[in-house]
Amino acid sequence: MNDEFYMNLAIEEAKKAQEKHEVPIGAVIVFQDEVIATGYNVRELSQQTLSHAELIAIQEANKKIGSWRLEDCTLYVTLEPCPMCAGAIVQSRIKRVVYGAKDPKAGCAGTLMNLLDEKRFNHQVEITSGILEKACSELLTSFFKMLRAKRKQSSSK
């Protein structure tokens, strides 16, 4: 298995979010070449701040492994982690993060800052970016384009 294979699984998770009219972001956590957890955004449905794809997947992985430490796991996520998710990734001791699209508004894995490789923390995370970037970006772009069109249509009535 390779990064593209697992990113495709994260994209499938993102599509589940989109079907529920959520921002299409998906995450998959892999341990020893096995998917142990998945997640997708449900923030609008749940009205809970912490309902990001990464956090949902981390909680599921914690249950599966039976530990808060995810030391030998890789997290695949369609969008660069935000500050909240980056903090949870560091705290969970995830070894590696692979993401698709950069996030110019909240990206904390290298775009705005890099919390995953902050030397002052007691854990740093290996980062691979740009895996299936175009597919991940297009999901988000088309979602927000559709949202704007719906808003424009409802405001013109």
Side-chain angles (χ1 to χ4, degrees):
M1 306 293 179
N2 63 22
D3 289 344
E4 288 187 5
F5 174 82
Y6 293 116
M7 187 59 74
N8 273 314
L9 296 179
I11 289 169
E12 290 307 310
E13 290 298 309
K15 288 177 181 176
K16 291 176 187 177
Q18 187 170 25
E19 288 168 12
K20 296 178 188 298
H21 308 288
E22 293 279 349
V23 177
I25 301 169
V28 171
I29 296 180
V30 176
F31 176 69
Q32 296 179 345
D33 296 324
E34 178 190 344
V35 174
I36 61 164
T38 61
Y40 57 87
N41 270 11
V42 291
R43 194 166 58 168
E44 293 301 322
L45 276 172
S46 72
Q47 289 299 302
Q48 303 269 324
T49 304
L50 303 178
S51 296
H52 284 201
E54 301 97 317
L55 299 182
I56 291 166
I58 286 170
Q59 288 182 317
E60 187 179 317
N62 292 148
K63 288 177 191 166
K64 176 86 175 189
I65 288 191
S67 174
W68 63 269
R69 290 181 180 93
L70 302 175
E71 294 169 321
D72 293 317
C73 294
T74 299
L75 169 68
Y76 292 85
V77 62
T78 56
L79 182 66
E80 180 180 4
C82 72
M84 175 177 68
C85 292
I89 290 163
V90 169
Q91 289 298 311
S92 66
R93 308 297 193 265
I94 287 175
K95 182 178 184 175
R96 181 172 177 244
V97 168
V98 179
Y99 71 86
K102 290 183 186 304
D103 185 351
K105 294 183 179 177
C108 285
T111 299
L112 295 181
M113 65 183 65
N114 193 342
L115 292 176
L116 300 181
D117 193 33
E118 174 54 58
K119 301 299 185 227
R120 293 173 290 182
F121 292 147
N122 64 348
H123 178 74
Q124 288 76 43
V125 182
E126 180 185 331
I127 303 165
T128 303
S129 62
I131 302 299
L132 299 180
E133 183 174 12
K134 186 175 181 189
C136 293
S137 293
E138 284 176 0
L139 260 176
L140 290 158
T141 302
S142 64
F143 175 80
F144 286 112
K145 194 177 284 185
M146 178 200 64
L147 210 57
R148 284 189 297 276
K150 277 186 180 178
R151 284 186 185 143
K152 187 175 182 182
Q153 185 179 32
S154 66
S155 69
S156 65
K157 287 184 180 178

